[in-house]
Amino acid sequence: SQQGEEDPQALSIQEGENATMNCSYKTSINNLQWYRQNSGRGLVHLILIRSNEREKHSGRLRVTLDTSKKSSSLLITASRAADTASYFCATDRRGNTPLVFGKGTRLSVIA
Amino acid sequence: EPEVTQTPSHQVTQMGQEVILRCVPISNHLYFYWYRQILGQKVEFLVSFYNNEISEKSEIFDDQFSVERPDGSNFTLKIRSTKLEDSAMYFCASRDRPEAFFGQGTRLTVV
């Protein structure tokens, strides 16, 4: 299976701190994506990084990809209470193939 | 902004009953998916649908499950004879590029 596995499973930080979540996967990929899920809600796409990219930024988000280690990290800088959610990485074999999700990291940002 | 809509938001059904979960994907998207998430656990792929046929399915998607795009806008998931273990959030997603758009989900409870 190519599924991603995130760690940590849960992370609790103070508002203003940075949050780092990691993801590992098993097979070759076309791209890796990060999604956010508020409790009981649908998944919302955050950022995508292609297999030939090493780092990408979007606002307070920074994602890195190391294909040699089959791993990715998501950094949320200057976290806010509103960032409290679960964060999932998802791998894509070749675009439009089913995304395979990891187990997610539950992030709690305490005001 | 276009969105994927799912109905109903909650469904309670007796074990052994048939249920149909409905989704309206984003109109110009060509790829459609169903995922499920058992409470607090990972998001699991069920089935993908393209060009009016199933393009890929997981081991979970057995003979009890079927999908249909009856009228060019709706995309349905049918569970023929529900089991207790089918209780989960079911998410529909659509895409026309690598990023997927998810609906808010249907919470299915089998009693």
Side-chain angles (χ1 to χ4, degrees), chain A residues 3 31 33 35 37 40-43 45 48 50 88 92-93 96-99 101-103, chain B residues 31 33 35 37 41-43 45 48 56 89 91 95-100 102-104 107:
Chain A
Q3 66 190 60
N31 64 77
Q33 306 179 31
Y35 287 78
Q37 183 183 36
R41 311 281 286 177
L43 294 107
H45 178 262
L48 176 151
R50 299 186 191 282
F88 294 86
D92 189 359
R93 292 196 307 273
N96 292 320
T97 51
L99 295 172
F101 287 84
K103 293 180 181 176
Chain B
Y31 297 86
Y33 308 86
Y35 288 83
Q37 184 180 34
Q41 298 187 27
K42 66 178 179 180
V43 178
F45 166 69
S48 58
E56 202 164 332
M89 282 288 285
F91 293 104
R95 67 205 286 207
D96 66 343
R97 49 188 169 167
E99 304 93 294
F102 283 78
Q104 292 301 310
R107 181 175 298 283

Side-chain angles (χ1 to χ4, degrees), chain A residues 4-58:
Chain A
E5 297 289 342
E6 292 93 336
D7 79 85
Q9 289 187 350
L11 178 62
S12 183
I13 59 174
Q14 297 285 331
E15 209 167 29
E17 294 180 338
N18 295 342
T20 300
M21 288 158 270
N22 303 297
C23 167
S24 62
Y25 58 93
K26 296 180 182 176
T27 63
S28 63
I29 59 171
N30 176 277
N31 64 77
L32 185 143
Q33 306 179 31
W34 286 89
Y35 287 78
R36 167 192 167 127
Q37 183 183 36
N38 288 347
S39 181
R41 311 281 286 177
L43 294 107
V44 176
H45 178 262
L46 294 175
I47 192 166
L48 176 151
I49 186 164
R50 299 186 191 282
S51 59
N52 61 354
E53 297 175 312
R54 293 296 165 258
E55 187 171 311
K56 206 154 179 193
H57 296 255
S58 176

Side-chain angles (χ1 to χ4, degrees), chain B residues 51-108:
Chain B
N51 201 24
N52 285 320
E53 60 183 23
I54 291 173
S55 50
E56 202 164 332
K57 60 183 181 179
S58 73
E59 293 173 351
I60 302 168
F61 194 86
D62 62 21
D63 292 344
Q64 293 300 311
F65 291 88
S66 62
V67 289
E68 201 175 39
R69 190 158 158 80
D71 57 13
S73 61
N74 290 287
F75 179 49
T76 62
L77 174 70
K78 182 193 288 187
I79 309 175
R80 261 181 273 282
S81 177
T82 48
K83 307 182 186 81
L84 294 176
E85 54 264 36
D86 293 327
S87 294
M89 282 288 285
Y90 288 80
F91 293 104
C92 171
S94 70
R95 67 205 286 207
D96 66 343
R97 49 188 169 167
E99 304 93 294
F101 292 79
F102 283 78
Q104 292 301 310
T106 293
R107 181 175 298 283
L108 176 66

